[in-house]
Amino acid sequence: MKSNDKIKAITSPPPSNWKEKVAFRIKNRWLEYSSQIARRILAAIEDNEDLNQAKLAKALDVKPQQISKIVQGQENLTLESIYKISKALGVELIRFPDYKYTEQLKLQEVGKTHKRYLPFESTGGTVTLRNDTLNSFEKNVA
Amino acid sequence: MKITPIFADGNTGEGLHAVRYDDQQADEFEKLFDRWTNTEYVTKYCVTNKQYIQSDYFKNLPIDQVITQIIGEAEQLGTTLFNLAEDGFENTGRNLQMLFRPLNNNQSDLRPLQESKGKVEKIRKAILRIYAIRIGPNTYVVTGGAIKLTRLMAEHSDTREELEKIQKVKNFLKTQGINCEDDLNYYYEIE
């Protein structure tokens, strides 16, 4: 058996805090969203020569430590905070996906129910009728 | 240098331990997960090392994809070890040897004080590594870890440093007379 002196010589005092930190991450899955926003903030700061974390903190009237926690992906940001940071950076930090009412609104903008195939143009997932084609169509059905 | 128990059986001493250097407040294991779950650290690490991500080894993956994978692997490793810590080893059929492998891919046998690595198994090109010394089938001492962006450890300064750390810890354990699980059990104060 090793002597008490040898044992005491290399024993570490407080135990690791690792387990509590992991438990927190397992329980709080919103941290994934926090990380996504943090990356975009870091990229926006990197792209702007006149901006750094300290200046962002000043623009938002918060302490630099707050910005530090945000870019580490550890903050549970409110929608208001995300909005304010977006405005301060001049970039969109979150985007909303299309959903069923988005598509219906686009069809209503076209305003026609087409039984024949007509030329469409597609831009970024939105389908619209070309103006020249719409004008021609209106003449033919008038 | 000291050894901190991460989760270990109070009677047998088997479990996961980690090195804590004298000038550090946290042990090497806790430091690894602090870094790997810190978006700022991971993002800046990937940007600084983008030449490795743009290499043939990583097929020029988008940096954001690498960041996502790193944080995802950290979550998986953390959860796996957390579950081991919570459930224990008795009657579960699980042990640390399921997570750790010999560091040298040419070693198929298990040896005393073997240099070992832990990673997420189900990902073809896992990025994160936990480096440890194997004391027994269910007893490992973590020496450090890395975000491994190269095929070989010798190809990056960070992983080269981890190789040096493993050797230092191995020598330390030898000088302390620790060669197997029973020896490590004697390193904690009996109240």
Side-chain angles (χ1 to χ4, degrees):
Chain A
M1 183 180 286
K2 305 294 179 186
S3 69
N4 283 341
D5 287 339
K6 276 190 182 178
I7 294 168
K8 285 173 187 174
I10 67 166
T11 297
S12 170
S16 180
N17 293 319
W18 162 80
K19 201 173 165 193
E20 287 72 23
K21 291 178 180 177
V22 171
F24 179 81
R25 294 195 70 86
I26 290 172
K27 191 178 169 189
N28 294 287
R29 289 302 183 191
W30 52 260
L31 286 161
E32 291 177 36
Y33 285 16
S34 185
S35 174
Q36 291 286 349
I37 291 171
R39 296 176 220 183
R40 283 150 180 82
I41 294 172
L42 287 163
I45 291 173
E46 190 185 327
D47 286 345
N48 189 335
E49 284 180 1
D50 297 326
L51 193 58
N52 55 35
Q53 289 186 31
K55 288 180 180 175
L56 181 62
K58 201 171 176 184
L60 294 168
D61 196 25
V62 298
K63 292 180 184 174
Q65 295 91 317
Q66 183 65 15
I67 299 298
S68 180
K69 283 176 78 176
I70 291 171
V71 296
Q72 288 179 33
Q74 316 284 357
E75 276 296 280
N76 191 356
L77 293 164
T78 63
L79 293 172
E80 182 182 359
S81 298
I82 295 169
Y83 178 81
K84 284 180 178 175
I85 297 170
S86 294
K87 290 300 170 193
L89 293 172
V91 299
E92 246 183 289
L93 290 176
I94 57 176
R95 194 168 289 172
F96 298 95
D98 285 342
Y99 71 122
K100 65 176 187 178
Y101 295 145
T102 315
E103 291 180 9
Q104 285 188 9
L105 281 172
K106 283 174 185 165
L107 284 173
Q108 284 168 16
E109 281 166 10
V110 173
K112 308 288 178 189
T113 302
H114 303 287
K115 291 184 181 175
R116 297 188 312 169
Y117 170 76
L118 288 167
F120 290 87
E121 59 188 9
S122 176
T123 309
T126 304
V127 176
T128 53
L129 195 60
R130 285 198 282 265
N131 282 335
D132 55 344
T133 312
L134 181 60
N135 291 338
S136 168
F137 181 73
E138 285 177 326
K139 278 183 191 170
N140 290 333
V141 299
Chain B
M1 191 187 296
K2 301 240 188 296
I3 299 173
T4 298
I6 305 300
F7 56 90
D9 186 297
N11 293 321
T12 64
E14 65 175 3
L16 192 67
H17 309 261
V19 167
R20 186 175 66 81
Y21 293 101
D22 294 333
D23 61 343
Q24 300 288 320
Q25 283 194 331
D27 59 81
E28 289 296 298
F29 186 70
E30 185 178 344
K31 281 167 59 183
L32 279 183
F33 280 89
D34 282 349
R35 288 200 296 264
W36 292 345
T37 55
N38 181 328
T39 298
E40 183 180 19
Y41 175 88
V42 173
T43 301
K44 288 184 175 177
Y45 190 89
C46 289
V47 170
T48 303
N49 289 279
K50 65 181 174 186
Q51 74 268 34
Y52 297 99
I53 296 172
Q54 288 167 343
S55 70
D56 287 341
Y57 181 64
F58 267 104
K59 310 286 184 210
N60 201 18
L61 283 179
I63 288 180
D64 187 74
Q65 193 171 326
V66 179
I67 295 169
T68 298
Q69 183 173 333
I70 288 169
I71 295 176
E73 284 185 33
E75 302 288 356
Q76 285 189 60
L77 284 169
T79 303
T80 298
L81 288 162
F82 180 86
N83 290 336
L84 268 174
E86 286 284 283
D87 298 341
F89 305 116
E90 208 172 313
N91 302 322
T92 62
R94 289 184 290 163
N95 59 35
L96 288 168
Q97 205 163 270
M98 291 176 173
L99 177 65
F100 288 95
R101 298 277 181 268
L103 181 62
N104 188 330
N105 293 330
N106 295 322
Q107 284 180 359
S108 53
D109 58 318
L110 298 172
R111 316 168 180 188
L113 297 186
Q114 188 171 37
E115 299 92 337
S116 305
K117 63 189 173 192
K119 60 177 182 166
V120 177
E121 285 295 323
K122 291 177 183 173
I123 297 175
R124 195 176 142 264
K125 220 172 251 181
I127 295 174
L128 295 185
R129 296 291 186 277
I130 302 172
Y131 297 116
I133 300 286
R134 180 181 182 275
I135 309 293
N138 216 12
T139 307
Y140 287 79
V141 177
V142 173
T143 63
I147 296 174
K148 187 167 174 283
L149 299 177
T150 56
R151 194 173 68 86
L152 300 175
M153 289 181 75
E155 292 171 344
H156 195 291
S157 56
D158 289 349
T159 38
R160 282 199 298 271
E161 188 182 328
E162 291 300 320
L163 280 171
E164 292 173 13
K165 282 164 66 178
I166 290 177
Q167 290 308 313
K168 281 182 185 168
V169 174
K170 187 172 178 177
N171 293 338
F172 170 76
L173 292 172
K174 280 182 185 173
T175 60
Q176 301 299 315
I178 296 174
N179 285 298
C180 61
E181 280 173 312
D182 285 344
D183 291 331
L184 194 61
N185 190 35
Y186 296 137
Y187 280 91
Y188 301 104
E189 286 185 297
I190 301 167
E191 292 182 359

